[in-house]
Amino acid sequence: MYQYSHALVFDNGLPTNLTGLMASTSFADIVDLNLYVVNGWDNISDTNKGKTVGGRVGITPIEGVNFGISTITGPEGANEGDKRSVLDIDAAITIIPNHIIGAEINLGWEDNASGVTSGEDAEWFGFLLMTHYDYAKWGGITIRYDYFDDKDGARLGSGKQKQQAITLCPTFVIADGFGALLEYRYDFSNERVFDITNGPKYSDSTLAFEMTYSF
């Protein structure tokens, strides 16, 4: 996490908290595997009798290159026959010294999804590209672009829209274990969904400052 904010894929295409059981293993330092059974997306207590299952297979073909395929599926509404499912592909490359390149592709679909016409299914698609480079012992910079297409209006909560974001974030090392970052983020959409209080707009800019200390 080299930025203050999370990407659109993280906020809208994936669960952020899972409560349940997970098992992990690895093979020959090349393949790692995670499997889990949970109560559902961001549910401490289950809201139905069905369970949500998922997992991730990660592959490290050479040092400094890792990619993975994840999936999760399960009932997230009152009807246990209706599933919400996601296929997610991620990659991280750290071959170049002091340089990280990351990417993620997110595909999701839901049966009889809330927020759309009754009885209709929903689909979404998102991705992100990011790079972080430490140009000195005291500082680095991150650039991230992310995109989220809520094709049926089930995830963003404001109808069908294509939302995008560009994030620029310098990072600083103040002392051992003590760091800071300054983030500028520009969000834009094909619909007027930002700054509703002062009149809906197609775009929005935010600025954030964060300091962290590890001990």
Side-chain angles (χ1 to χ4, degrees), residues 126-145:
F127 71 90
L128 72 86
L129 296 170
M130 65 82 64
T131 180
H132 175 83
Y133 179 63
D134 288 319
Y135 51 79
K137 292 183 178 180
W138 54 267
I141 189 166
T142 301
I143 301 174
R144 182 183 71 201
Y145 169 77

Side-chain angles (χ1 to χ4, degrees), residues 29-173:
D29 296 326
I30 297 177
V31 178
D32 57 274
L33 176 65
N34 297 292
L35 298 173
Y36 54 81
V37 179
V38 298
N39 287 339
W41 284 42
D42 306 322
N43 292 329
I44 297 177
S45 299
D46 210 338
T47 57
N48 52 49
K49 295 182 179 180
K51 294 297 180 183
T52 294
V53 297
R56 178 183 183 273
V57 177
I59 302 174
T60 306
I62 61 174
E63 185 177 357
V65 176
N66 178 268
F67 62 91
I69 300 177
S70 306
T71 186
I72 182 172
T73 185
E76 301 302 328
N79 187 353
E80 295 180 19
D82 297 334
K83 308 289 186 181
R84 182 187 300 165
S85 305
V86 169
L87 177 65
D88 192 90
I89 302 172
D90 64 88
I93 301 173
T94 57
I95 295 176
I96 303 173
N98 304 321
H99 191 196
I100 297 174
I101 298 173
E104 185 171 6
I105 299 174
N106 184 270
L107 300 167
W109 53 97
E110 184 172 3
D111 303 325
N112 294 318
S114 60
V116 302
T117 303
S118 179
E120 291 189 359
D121 301 336
E123 296 180 0
W124 66 86
F125 167 75
F127 71 90
L128 72 86
L129 296 170
M130 65 82 64
T131 180
H132 175 83
Y133 179 63
D134 288 319
Y135 51 79
K137 292 183 178 180
W138 54 267
I141 189 166
T142 301
I143 301 174
R144 182 183 71 201
Y145 169 77
D146 45 297
Y147 171 93
F148 196 86
D149 183 1
D150 190 7
K151 297 181 180 181
D152 300 289
R155 302 306 304 161
L156 295 175
S158 51
K160 302 177 183 180
Q161 65 166 305
K162 297 178 182 179
Q163 198 170 123
Q164 302 174 70
I166 298 173
T167 305
L168 179 65
C169 186
T171 59
F172 307 94
V173 177

